[in-house]
Amino acid sequence: MKGVKFRDHRVVGGIIDLAQRYCAEGADELVFYDITASPDGRSVDRSWVDRVAAVIDIPFCVAGGIRGVSDAEEVLNKGADKISINTPALERPQLINELVRRFGSQCVVLGVDSREDDDQYHVYQNTGDPDKTAAAERMTVEWIREAQDRGVGEIVLNCMNQDGVRAGFDNKQLGIVRDNSYVPLIASGGAGAMSHFLDTFQSANVDGALAASVFHGAEINIADLKRYLIDNAVDIRPVS
Amino acid sequence: MSPAYVAIIDSGGANIASLLYALKRLNTKATLTTDAAVISAADRVILPGVGAARDAMTRLRDGHLIDVIRQLTQPVLGICLGMQLLVDASEEEDVECLGIIPGTAKKLPGNTSCPVPNMGWCPITRIAEHAVLSELGDGTYFYFLHSYAVPTSQHTVATAQHANPFSAVVSHENFVAAQFHPERSSVAGEQLLRNFIGLRQ
């Protein structure tokens, strides 16, 4: 799925075909979001996870409605390398500790949907459904600090003001979160041009950058993007 | 590809599926097992691992597999936690490991420029010859996902860099181990698995 500012999601195409295409282009990791899982109160449909695992040879992460150790175990046993949690962790932060104790920090990614309101960054939840999206009554930096103390191994910061508008990553916000995180930080939301990726690596010191629509629409080819970043001295795996 | 039969030791961690799929893509027969007879008779043995060292060692001990693994004479590959299980001990919960390859896994030192866990693609530097790295030169990227690592030693075949250099690949006699995940390391990982399957006994 892809979306624009968390509204009007549309099906983009066969995920197996897309996954294989991105692997061949040199993507370093894939993330699969079932974005309506939490607002619909159901867990992720897992029938596709082992089909993805069978055909790709790079790591992948599954997100959507993982509410407990058994949900996570099923996804990981089908071949996912990591699970990403968002709304369920906001509703019950102890979930992070439980997942980390069972699978280790390296398996547990925290997705954070964050928006700037009145010069302050707030966390939002149930962002897969515009009618159910709500402020989580948490400040972004406080939440990422708490989640790290609970053992989360990676943070994907999705900057909602930027999501889908293709005006570049929110490097100001990412920089603030970077200064408060000691686990890998992945930038998400706002990619529209190759230069946006270079900007976020250079100015926000993120460990990775995530994008959807520019890749789904083949507006940016991942192999071209990686060559451009390497030419500009970003330290990443070259395209083979 | 030789018709090697691979036993994958089930040490209890999740995420064995990706390894099984990777071997299947190489047309190699593999089975996930805790059966000592199957493990001892296999052409190749892989000790994988995701999770905590103590849990995995407890499972190996309860399955009476400690001495079985120590006595293996065919090529054995440890992956990630499996590498840490092959050394003497791990700082993670101070657990005694199999003691097959000398060394102790230590917690990676972290800071905001070198976050822990170390998650992502890192290039390796080769410091010794080993057939498992055939056609995989200096600077080849592999996918790492770990919080503990084995320091460099005389058994190190290749290093990678976090805050400090650590062992990316170690070997001792018929045992070889990788801190990274070959099953998730694209064409380079596939080459390493192919090399391992093709090792001479």
Side-chain angles (χ1 to χ4, degrees):
Chain A
M1 298 286 275
K2 56 148 289 190
V4 179
K5 274 204 167 180
F6 289 82
R7 286 182 177 270
D8 303 326
H9 291 113
R10 61 188 177 89
V11 176
V12 169
I15 56 172
I16 305 293
D17 291 345
L18 268 183
Q20 287 183 300
R21 188 183 108 205
Y22 294 151
C23 269
E25 285 182 7
D28 290 315
E29 183 166 338
L30 301 178
V31 185
F32 297 86
Y33 289 95
D34 183 359
I35 48 176
T36 57
S38 279
D40 291 350
R42 62 178 173 80
S43 191
V44 65
D45 167 17
R46 284 131 190 175
S47 59
W48 53 271
V49 177
D50 39 8
R51 292 171 57 212
V52 168
V55 298
I56 71 169
D57 57 7
I58 60 171
F60 73 102
C61 177
V62 172
I66 291 168
R67 296 177 174 278
V69 166
S70 62
D71 291 326
E73 187 159 40
E74 187 187 348
V75 167
L76 294 170
N77 281 342
K78 283 176 183 287
D81 301 275
K82 307 176 188 175
I83 41 116
S84 181
I85 51 174
N86 186 331
T87 299
L90 288 163
E91 291 170 352
R92 195 170 69 82
Q94 184 66 20
L95 174 63
I96 298 172
N97 304 61
E98 293 167 11
L99 294 173
V100 167
R101 196 177 310 121
R102 175 66 180 86
F103 305 109
S105 288
Q106 79 289 335
C107 272
V108 184
V109 179
L110 182 75
V112 180
D113 293 316
S114 175
R115 196 160 88 186
E116 182 182 354
D117 302 307
D118 304 326
D119 276 343
Q120 292 190 304
Y121 298 106
H122 295 270
V123 181
Y124 279 72
Q125 63 188 34
N126 285 326
T127 49
D129 182 341
D131 296 331
K132 293 178 182 166
T133 297
E137 305 293 329
R138 287 174 184 272
M139 306 296 284
T140 301
V141 168
E142 286 171 21
W143 175 228
I144 65 122
R145 282 175 169 272
E146 177 183 338
Q148 289 175 96
D149 289 344
R150 290 179 179 276
V152 78
E154 181 174 280
I155 293 166
V156 175
L157 185 72
N158 189 57
C159 304
M160 295 173 70
N161 303 78
Q162 300 301 111
D163 189 65
V165 300
R166 306 190 180 195
F169 293 96
D170 186 346
N171 294 321
K172 182 180 157 206
Q173 182 176 185
L174 287 160
I176 292 167
V177 170
R178 168 84 286 169
D179 289 343
N180 286 280
S181 54
Y182 48 84
V183 300
L185 173 65
I186 310 301
S188 170
M194 295 205 288
S195 62
H196 296 154
F197 290 84
L198 181 60
D199 287 344
T200 198
F201 283 115
Q202 287 182 336
S203 66
N205 193 26
V206 295
D207 300 285
L210 183 154
S213 56
V214 290
F215 299 142
H216 295 336
E219 290 144 66
I220 295 180
N221 174 284
I222 293 172
D224 293 342
L225 173 62
K226 293 188 82 170
R227 285 186 204 103
Y228 163 80
L229 291 171
I230 290 166
D231 286 346
N232 284 280
V234 180
D235 189 11
I236 54 170
R237 178 177 69 115
V239 180
S240 52
Chain B
M1 187 60 56
S2 63
Y5 186 84
V6 180
I8 301 173
I9 301 173
D10 185 357
S11 60
N15 198 18
I16 305 298
S18 56
L19 181 58
L20 286 165
Y21 285 127
L23 292 168
K24 196 173 174 187
R25 288 193 293 266
L26 292 172
N27 296 318
T28 297
K29 285 186 187 150
T31 188
L32 181 65
T33 183
T34 55
D35 185 325
V38 172
I39 294 167
S40 297
D43 299 315
R44 302 286 181 275
V45 175
I46 298 181
L47 181 61
V50 168
R54 182 171 296 279
D55 283 355
M57 283 305 298
T58 300
R59 186 173 279 241
L60 294 180
R61 193 169 292 112
D62 291 349
H64 307 289
L65 293 177
I66 305 259
D67 286 333
V68 172
I69 297 170
R70 285 176 176 154
Q71 288 160 12
L72 294 174
T73 54
Q74 64 273 60
V76 180
L77 173 65
I79 296 175
C80 198
L81 177 65
M83 169 174 177
Q84 297 169 17
L85 298 178
L86 288 173
V87 299
D88 295 321
S90 172
E91 272 187 3
E92 186 181 13
E93 302 176 286
D94 269 331
V95 61
E96 185 188 338
C97 298
L98 291 164
I100 293 169
I101 301 175
T104 297
K106 295 184 182 302
K107 175 99 183 173
L108 288 172
N111 55 55
T112 53
S113 60
C114 281
V116 175
N118 179 31
M119 310 171 87
W121 295 83
C122 307
I124 62 162
T125 301
R126 293 183 56 168
I127 62 173
E129 283 301 313
H130 196 290
V132 82
L133 290 179
S134 178
E135 297 181 48
L136 297 166
D138 272 352
T140 302
Y141 278 68
F142 290 94
Y143 182 71
F144 291 78
L145 192 60
H146 62 124
S147 300
Y148 291 79
V150 178
T152 56
S153 74
Q154 67 192 78
H155 299 282
T156 303
V157 174
T159 62
Q161 179 78 27
H162 187 250
N164 303 312
F166 63 87
S167 294
V169 180
V170 292
S171 75
H172 184 54
E173 298 172 344
N174 55 312
F175 291 84
V176 60
Q179 183 58 66
F180 49 80
H181 287 272
E183 74 278 16
R184 279 287 174 254
S185 292
S186 191
V187 290
E190 186 178 303
Q191 180 66 46
L192 185 141
L193 289 173
R194 192 181 291 118
N195 291 341
F196 172 69
I197 302 301
L199 286 179
R200 288 167 187 271
Q201 300 224 195

